[in-house]
Amino acid sequence: MLTYTPVSEAGGVGKTTTAATLAVSHARAGHDVLAIDMDTQNGSLTYLFGPEYDRGDTQIDNLVRHLVGRPKGSFQDLAHEVEHGVDLIPSHNMLEDLHEFLLNEKNQAEKLGESYSMYHQLHRVLRETNVRDEYDVVIVDSAGKAGPILYNALVAVRNVVIPFEATAKGQESIEGLDDLVEGLESSIGVDVGVLAVVPIGYKNTRDQREILGELRESGFSVPVVIGERGSMMEGCWKQQCSPYTYVEQYRDRKRDYELDTLDQFDDLARHLEREAGLETPEVMA
């Protein structure tokens, strides 16, 4: 089973677009894919894939209720089928108060003499609902900053993919994430692996070449380098779809460089699948 979360200290649409594109690529290759949206921003997977869903309705069942042990239904019923059969568990506004909810649960447990980890609740939910038996790939699109949402995602999936802007600021965020992962490993006792660093928006400038060289020398896996594709990515958000659907359905003229970029995302997805020992069950449509 392949499990990971795309993490970028700066957050933003690059992280979410990477999560969506990889989810669809895994599904196109024949894998059963679960995408979990834990991003509290409106520009999240839930918006990009556009299922009919009211993230502000406090009466409906949602992921937070399951994390705090107060579900209104089954975990499987949270999922909406979106592009190419990807199952999406949408974000909900209650995630903004997740820290408070989890802290209340922790305090109650301690009063009863019970142990409670605020950061193991997503892991618990996925284990108790036998997600491993139903899916080949689980991707959690989490919050971009440190906190209980990101920590729950990391504890549950144990792997990260890092969309990376090849700039000095991006380089700092890589170093900051490295420190974050080390701190999480030492405080919670879980190992978090970096499956890949993915330079995006690459323009092949001298400074970017230097930064990319340093990144590769540091030992991180860099399977692909994604060029500047602002028009395609902006089109995805406008049409609320993955780049695959955008190019296939909304481009009146196919652009070779965009098709090459989709091939690169497929190469990245196959790389991640090999890392987890997954075999591609069928030829992609």
Side-chain angles (χ1 to χ4, degrees), residues 64-127:
V64 175
R65 290 185 175 276
H66 288 254
L67 294 177
V68 299
R70 290 174 172 78
K72 284 191 169 185
S74 73
F75 180 77
Q76 287 76 10
D77 287 343
L78 295 179
H80 296 245
E81 185 175 328
V82 292
E83 281 188 43
H84 291 275
V86 171
D87 281 348
L88 170 69
I89 294 181
S91 179
H92 194 277
N93 288 352
M94 287 176 67
L95 279 165
E96 296 174 357
D97 299 315
L98 182 62
H99 181 267
E100 180 181 347
F101 290 137
L102 292 175
L103 188 59
N104 288 338
E105 293 299 312
K106 180 179 175 63
N107 290 337
Q108 289 296 323
E110 290 178 347
K111 289 179 181 179
L112 295 172
E114 302 171 350
S115 61
Y116 184 89
S117 171
M118 293 172 57
Y119 304 144
H120 282 74
Q121 297 312 303
L122 179 60
H123 180 268
R124 172 187 60 78
V125 169
L126 298 183
R127 184 186 69 248

Side-chain angles (χ1 to χ4, degrees), residues 27-261:
R28 283 162 50 94
H31 295 295
D32 293 322
V33 180
L34 176 65
I36 302 175
D37 186 0
M38 296 184 72
D39 196 334
T40 57
Q41 299 183 77
N42 287 330
S44 67
L45 279 179
T46 304
Y47 176 84
L48 183 61
F49 282 130
E52 292 294 329
Y53 177 77
D54 182 2
R55 61 183 291 162
D57 187 349
T58 59
Q59 300 305 310
I60 63 174
D61 197 19
N62 64 80
L63 179 61
V64 175
R65 290 185 175 276
H66 288 254
L67 294 177
V68 299
R70 290 174 172 78
K72 284 191 169 185
S74 73
F75 180 77
Q76 287 76 10
D77 287 343
L78 295 179
H80 296 245
E81 185 175 328
V82 292
E83 281 188 43
H84 291 275
V86 171
D87 281 348
L88 170 69
I89 294 181
S91 179
H92 194 277
N93 288 352
M94 287 176 67
L95 279 165
E96 296 174 357
D97 299 315
L98 182 62
H99 181 267
E100 180 181 347
F101 290 137
L102 292 175
L103 188 59
N104 288 338
E105 293 299 312
K106 180 179 175 63
N107 290 337
Q108 289 296 323
E110 290 178 347
K111 289 179 181 179
L112 295 172
E114 302 171 350
S115 61
Y116 184 89
S117 171
M118 293 172 57
Y119 304 144
H120 282 74
Q121 297 312 303
L122 179 60
H123 180 268
R124 172 187 60 78
V125 169
L126 298 183
R127 184 186 69 248
E128 292 177 352
T129 54
N130 298 316
V131 164
R132 180 175 291 273
D133 296 334
E134 297 185 33
Y135 295 99
D136 306 307
V137 181
V138 175
I139 301 173
V140 181
D141 189 30
S142 180
K145 60 182 179 179
I149 294 177
L150 177 58
Y151 294 161
N152 265 276
L154 290 175
V155 170
V157 301
R158 310 295 174 97
N159 297 299
V160 298
V161 172
I162 308 175
F164 168 73
E165 185 180 355
T167 63
K169 181 180 179 181
Q171 196 170 25
E172 289 180 9
S173 69
I174 288 283
E175 295 170 356
L177 181 62
D178 204 24
D179 293 340
L180 170 64
V181 169
E182 288 183 6
L184 185 68
E185 289 177 338
S186 62
S187 62
I188 300 182
V190 299
D191 293 327
V192 179
V194 178
L195 296 180
V197 177
V198 186
I200 58 176
Y202 189 74
K203 298 179 180 179
N204 200 31
T205 66
R206 184 177 65 180
D207 288 345
Q208 286 184 327
R209 289 195 296 271
E210 182 178 337
I211 292 172
L212 182 58
E214 293 175 357
L215 179 64
R216 284 175 165 150
E217 289 176 1
S218 68
F220 286 111
S221 174
V222 186
V224 298
V225 178
I226 307 297
E228 172 58 44
R229 298 293 178 263
S231 176
M232 181 174 71
M233 298 307 179
E234 290 170 11
C236 294
W237 286 90
K238 180 179 180 180
Q239 301 296 340
Q240 292 183 276
C241 63
S242 76
Y244 296 98
T245 296
Y246 180 70
V247 169
E248 291 167 0
Q249 297 185 13
Y250 295 99
R251 283 298 201 203
D252 55 0
R253 177 178 61 83
K254 299 297 185 289
R255 296 158 171 83
D256 288 343
Y257 57 86
E258 291 184 347
L259 296 174
D260 289 343
T261 296

